[in-house]
Amino acid sequence: MSLRQQQGFWRGSKRMTRAVTAGRQGFPEFERLEGRRLLAGDVRLVGITGNQQKEGFPDETLFDIKYALPGSTDPAFLDGFADITGNPPDTVLSLNNSVGVTQGTGSLRVEVPQGQNAFWGFSSPNVVDLLKAGATQLSYDMTLNNIDLNGGSYGGGTDDSFNGFAQSNELAVVINTPTNGFIQRNFTTGGAFDSLAMNGTWSGLDGTRHISWDLTQFTSADGKSLQDFITSNNATEARFWFVTQGGDSNGNVGPMRFYFDNMVVDGPAGPTLIGDFDLLSTSQGLTFPFVPDTDAIGFNPENGLLYRTSGASAYRDDPAKVGYNDNQFMETVDLSAPNPAGTQVGVFNANYQGDGTNGPYGLPAPRPNWLLPFDRRTDQQTDSSFRQQGPNEYHAARDLVWSSTDHLFYVADEGGIFKLTADGQSTFVGTPAGLIGGPKGIAFFTVGGERRLLVTERDGANLWTIDPATGQTVGDPVLLTDAVSLLPIPKLVSLAASPDGTTLLGIAKSVSDPGNAFARSLVIIDPVTGVCTPLGQFDVHMADLAFIINPPLLVSQTDFLYQHSPQQLRVTFNRDIDPTSLTADDLSVRRLPGDPPFAATAVTYDAPSRTAIFTLGALADGNYTATLADGSVTDAQGGALSGAQVSNFFVLAGDANHDRSVNFDDLVHLAQNYNVTSGKVWLDGDFTGDGAVDFNDLVILAQHYNTSLPAPGAPVAAAPVSAAASKADVLSAQRRAKDRLFNTTVRVQPPKPAAKPAAKPAAKSPTRR
């Protein structure tokens, strides 16, 4: 299966088991997966390049990595080749990595059903531009083996008594012209060449043959070359059709296999590779802020963020050079965001200022409290005694793996195993004995039903099981060997377990060129036998791997824009989508209870807000349901909408405040804006959508006055005496509006007079005696 086909991941309840049980071969502690549940999500494999400090090299850069296993039918790895449909029984195309591989890591396996003299075949991707530019030759490698023909090993046995023919000795060029251009040649008329001199047939000779076709021999009926024929017909599509056929007269029944690789079109511009069928492809993404020394990445499924660590503890005493200060750094980034670069946040940073003239390093963040010295080294503290290392200080994080049991990362460092929390607290666990150069890659993986913490060596070829509680080794190591050369792998620099628990991946140094940092390969590791199967070479200094699990693509919010004319539905997604996957007919709308569904009339998309606006048109009164079908929309990585997304809304003309009833409250909104000729909306009483509030809007309100729309499933109220208003009713409603709002008389009580202050008593006259 390919990464693109992985649509789920395991996450959930885990616990640590410390008891030693019978049959566990002495493994005392492992992380167990007992309650794992499958969650639909978009799974990505990413890698980060190391710090080579070479001009033009993408240091500290994320790469999206897509890989396929042998047998995959993922079109992304078939280079656009497809079977010829409409010519049953069809061929089956898949990837192979053991037969017919002449370049890279894979070949195209073409399986055809058994049938005497029947024609099958497969077609190339569109090569119209190459032919229009004057291509002169098509070449490729084809492999045929007796054991893969009818009745052989493909049929389940070892019968090699095939007595018949298997051949691909004709080629056609199919061009999309008004007359359906179809130009076919056989080996003789097509000027073809077979390095085994078998004219593209088996005829008892096993092996790989290099085949070429002279494209100048493929002329149209009126003598035009492919270039002239395509140009004169303004053709926009042209494909090669490889014809395969065979049959057996010896009574054997079953399919047969052809293998193709290294397909090249040559012409004036030089050779162009149109099919190499490698199992690995990469694309460059986000580049991180520079921090010297080792880089590692790990994914935290509990918050959906990717964590990047970089830097190392001090290892020099010259303040002008890199490594004078502790440089440990940690940041987070949300790769599911529309602009991941803008989501980077520093967790800790030991040396943002940098060394000498180098800097700043990374992003601003607090200095880790587990470092020694506690304060950043000054330029005068050049004595080596200042290169201290705290008890919980790792030198350089080589690889990270998240533990859902402990809710933190386990870190592989040449000094041992550490725990590192999401907020940046480091704790030393232990130094495993016996590892050459210390730990390097680290991952949790299930082996023989037991969840184990696996670790590779910094300078050796062994895979170890580690007790996560003590950091010590458990049992004997497994020697890691290359599946092709059968030699020990010089080093596995990273480990990563696929979230579905089926595959353990690693970054392997080259057996033949271990010192070449650009010759590293992606490998699948069998943790029992140690065999590492290469899927392809990175050609960059890939340093670490991590699986990213984006949340399922969902609708996070819907809003019925009833106040718009025409009415619209606003749909907000939980992450950015591919706008080319969005069409108006993705949204199906239906009025309840039983009206037929209809599609939206138009749709627009705003990437910054992750919002689609579907135009619905003018809708009749009623309850509605709108549905985005499962898988109808995809995100930028091809992850499809997870499940049908349903929203419900209602339409009721005249309902200004959108409360399912048309009454005096709505009339108030209209009356307060009556005879305003522009700038008004539904809430103001503009029910016609012309920006004005006038008699036309009053008519709509009057026709619905004292009516309501029950929610689906709610009891239906008795209908009003007159469901449809007459002209007199409208005039009466207008008059009532005026009477009740504009001409209402409110008795105003006059204010009471203020109380007069009491008169002061007159002063008494003195009494004469």
Side-chain angles (χ1 to χ4, degrees):
M1 66 185 298
S2 74
L3 177 62
R4 185 174 295 179
Q5 293 169 319
Q6 294 180 27
Q7 295 298 318
F9 66 90
W10 294 104
R11 189 183 71 179
S13 172
K14 305 175 186 176
R15 65 180 174 84
M16 297 296 294
T17 301
R18 299 180 179 274
V20 180
T21 58
R24 292 180 54 186
Q25 301 178 359
F27 299 139
E29 296 183 358
F30 296 95
E31 184 176 50
R32 286 176 119 14
L33 295 181
E34 294 187 344
R36 299 194 301 180
R37 61 192 180 96
L38 188 65
L39 301 178
D42 174 26
V43 179
R44 296 167 60 188
L45 177 64
V46 297
I48 187 171
T49 52
N51 195 331
Q52 286 287 293
Q53 299 182 15
K54 292 184 178 180
E55 184 177 354
F57 183 77
D59 288 338
E60 298 169 308
T61 297
L62 277 184
F63 282 77
D64 265 297
I65 302 170
K66 293 183 173 63
Y67 70 92
L69 306 184
S72 171
T73 59
D74 190 332
F77 296 95
L78 302 182
D79 296 342
F81 286 78
D83 65 308
I84 303 297
T85 58
N87 185 35
D90 292 331
T91 59
V92 177
L93 307 184
S94 60
L95 291 174
N96 174 73
N97 71 334
S98 58
V99 179
V101 182
T102 59
Q103 175 175 289
T105 59
S107 64
L108 176 68
R109 186 174 72 193
V110 182
E111 295 177 3
V112 299
Q114 190 268 348
Q116 190 75 28
N117 295 327
F119 283 80
W120 301 279
F122 63 100
S123 67
S124 73
N126 189 2
V127 292
V128 67
D129 290 334
L130 295 173
L131 298 181
K132 192 183 296 184
T136 58
Q137 185 184 76
L138 167 69
S139 64
Y140 51 88
D141 299 320
M142 183 179 72
T143 302
L144 288 171
N145 292 302
N146 186 315
I147 201 68
D148 279 335
L149 302 179
N150 287 349
S153 61
Y154 186 74
T158 58
D159 183 3
D160 62 355
S161 61
F162 176 70
N163 182 24
F165 66 96
Q167 60 194 30
S168 178
N169 58 357
E170 297 196 15
L171 181 74
V173 183
V174 184
I175 305 168
N176 68 330
T177 66
T179 56
N180 293 322
F182 188 91
I183 305 172
Q184 184 169 340
R185 298 286 183 268
N186 59 33
F187 238 70
T188 300
T189 59
F193 168 79
D194 181 340
S195 62
L196 294 184
M198 300 302 297
N199 291 348
T201 67
W202 173 68
S203 299
L205 184 61
D206 290 355
T208 299
R209 67 282 318 276
H210 185 71
I211 292 177
S212 63
W213 293 84
D214 182 0
L215 297 181
T216 65
Q217 302 297 315
F218 286 73
T219 55
S220 63
D222 56 359
K224 291 180 180 177
S225 67
L226 290 174
Q227 183 181 30
D228 292 340
F229 185 71
I230 288 172
T231 302
S232 62
N233 285 280
N234 297 315
T236 59
E237 182 176 323
R239 301 177 187 274
F240 296 120
W241 179 14
F242 298 82
V243 180
T244 55
Q245 60 174 323
D248 183 16
S249 61
N250 199 32
N252 295 309
V253 177
M256 56 182 60
R257 290 172 175 171
F258 296 72
Y259 302 89
F260 294 83
D261 196 17
N262 194 23
M263 295 184 168
V264 176
V265 176
D266 208 346
T272 300
L273 187 66
I274 64 170
D276 64 356
F277 314 106
D278 279 349
L279 307 180
L280 174 69
S281 67
T282 61
S283 57
Q284 185 173 331
L286 173 68
T287 295
F288 290 112
F290 172 75
V291 178
D293 300 309
T294 301
D295 286 273
I297 51 176
F299 179 69
N300 179 353
E302 297 180 12
N303 61 17
L305 299 178
L306 178 71
Y307 285 70
R308 171 225 177 181
T309 60
S310 191
S313 57
Y315 51 89
R316 287 195 177 108
D317 294 324
D318 184 346
K321 292 185 177 180
V322 171
Y324 177 73
N325 282 288
D326 291 331
N327 293 326
Q328 291 96 332
F329 169 72
M330 186 179 191
E331 68 168 309
T332 64
V333 58
D334 182 2
L335 291 182
S336 68
N339 178 24
T343 69
Q344 295 179 76
V345 177
V347 178
F348 59 75
N349 193 339
N351 188 22
Y352 178 68
Q353 298 93 320
D355 297 303
T357 59
N358 300 306
Y361 295 158
L363 301 171
R367 181 177 174 85
N369 58 15
W370 36 266
L371 290 181
L372 287 179
F374 292 112
D375 298 316
R376 184 174 176 272
R377 195 176 180 185
T378 69
D379 288 353
Q380 291 71 43
Q381 295 173 331
T382 57
D383 187 81
S384 60
S385 63
F386 289 97
R387 285 194 275 122
Q388 306 171 49
Q389 190 157 350
N392 293 310
E393 178 180 342
Y394 62 79
H395 170 61
R398 304 290 179 175
D399 199 359
L400 313 174
V401 63
W402 182 261
S403 167
S404 294
T405 296
D406 296 328
H407 311 287
L408 47 73
F409 290 103
Y410 279 85
V411 177
D413 173 74
E414 57 259 51
I417 305 296
F418 290 76
K419 292 180 180 179
L420 186 62
T421 63
D423 61 358
Q425 292 300 311
S426 175
T427 304
F428 175 68
V429 178
T431 301
L435 275 68
I436 304 174
K440 182 65 175 177
I442 188 169
F444 283 105
F445 195 71
T446 301
V447 182
E450 192 68 71
R451 191 72 167 171
R452 302 184 185 180
L453 182 61
L454 302 179
V455 170
T456 61
E457 299 171 328
R458 185 174 184 268
D459 298 316
N462 292 311
L463 180 69
W464 294 83
T465 296
I466 300 294
D467 181 345
T470 65
Q472 300 306 310
T473 58
V474 179
D476 296 325
V478 175
L479 180 64
L480 298 169
T481 58
D482 176 52
V484 178
S485 66
L486 303 183
L487 296 174
I489 296 286
K491 183 193 298 186
L492 272 176
V493 302
S494 173
L495 292 176
S498 63
D500 63 2
T502 63
T503 309
L504 182 64
L505 297 173
I507 299 173
K509 283 193 170 185
S510 168
V511 172
S512 59
D513 192 8
N516 185 354
F518 298 88
R520 295 178 176 181
S521 298
L522 180 69
V523 297
I524 295 178
I525 306 159
D526 184 332
V528 176
T529 64
V531 173
C532 299
T533 303
L535 299 178
Q537 185 171 301
F538 286 115
D539 297 322
V540 294
H541 179 212
M542 201 66 73
D544 199 13
L545 303 171
F547 279 95
I548 306 299
I549 308 164
N550 287 333
L553 179 60
L554 299 171
V555 171
S556 58
Q557 182 176 337
T558 59
D559 301 283
F560 175 51
L561 306 182
Y562 61 89
Q563 67 272 32
H564 285 249
S565 180
Q567 290 161 324
Q568 299 172 328
L569 188 69
R570 180 171 57 207
V571 178
T572 303
F573 297 94
N574 64 337
R575 65 174 185 270
D576 196 23
I577 68 166
D578 177 4
T580 64
S581 71
L582 182 68
T583 60
D585 57 7
D586 287 332
L587 186 74
S588 175
V589 185
R590 186 168 65 90
R591 186 169 71 162
L592 304 175
D595 283 12
F598 60 92
T601 59
V603 65
T604 60
Y605 181 68
D606 178 64
S609 63
R610 307 188 304 278
T611 298
I613 303 291
F614 289 91
T615 300
L616 306 181
L619 302 180
D621 294 347
N623 293 302
Y624 288 81
T625 182
T627 304
L628 271 176
D630 178 25
S632 58
V633 180
T634 60
D635 62 17
Q637 287 76 41
L641 186 67
S642 180
Q645 307 291 300
V646 180
S647 59
N648 300 302
F649 59 93
F650 70 91
V651 175
L652 180 58
D655 181 10
N657 60 8
H658 206 58
D659 65 353
R660 291 186 171 270
S661 295
V662 182
N663 51 31
F664 184 71
D665 293 336
D666 305 296
L667 185 59
V668 169
H669 286 273
L670 184 146
Q672 289 174 335
N673 297 280
Y674 199 73
N675 280 337
V676 179
T677 59
S678 64
K680 294 303 173 182
V681 296
W682 182 279
L683 183 62
D684 301 321
D686 174 24
F687 305 128
T688 59
D690 61 0
V693 179
D694 52 25
F695 185 72
N696 294 326
D697 302 298
L698 184 60
V699 169
I700 294 174
L701 187 145
Q703 289 173 336
H704 292 78
Y705 202 74
N706 281 336
T707 64
S708 62
L709 179 67
V716 180
V721 174
S722 177
S726 64
K727 183 176 181 180
D729 296 327
V730 173
L731 294 175
S732 176
Q734 185 181 21
R735 185 172 59 253
R736 288 198 303 272
K738 292 179 179 180
D739 289 344
R740 299 181 65 182
L741 187 63
F742 301 115
N743 298 328
T744 298
T745 301
V746 179
R747 182 176 178 81
V748 179
Q749 299 291 337
K752 294 180 179 181
K756 293 182 178 180
K760 293 182 178 180
K764 293 183 179 182
S765 299
T767 303
R768 293 185 180 184
R769 291 186 184 269

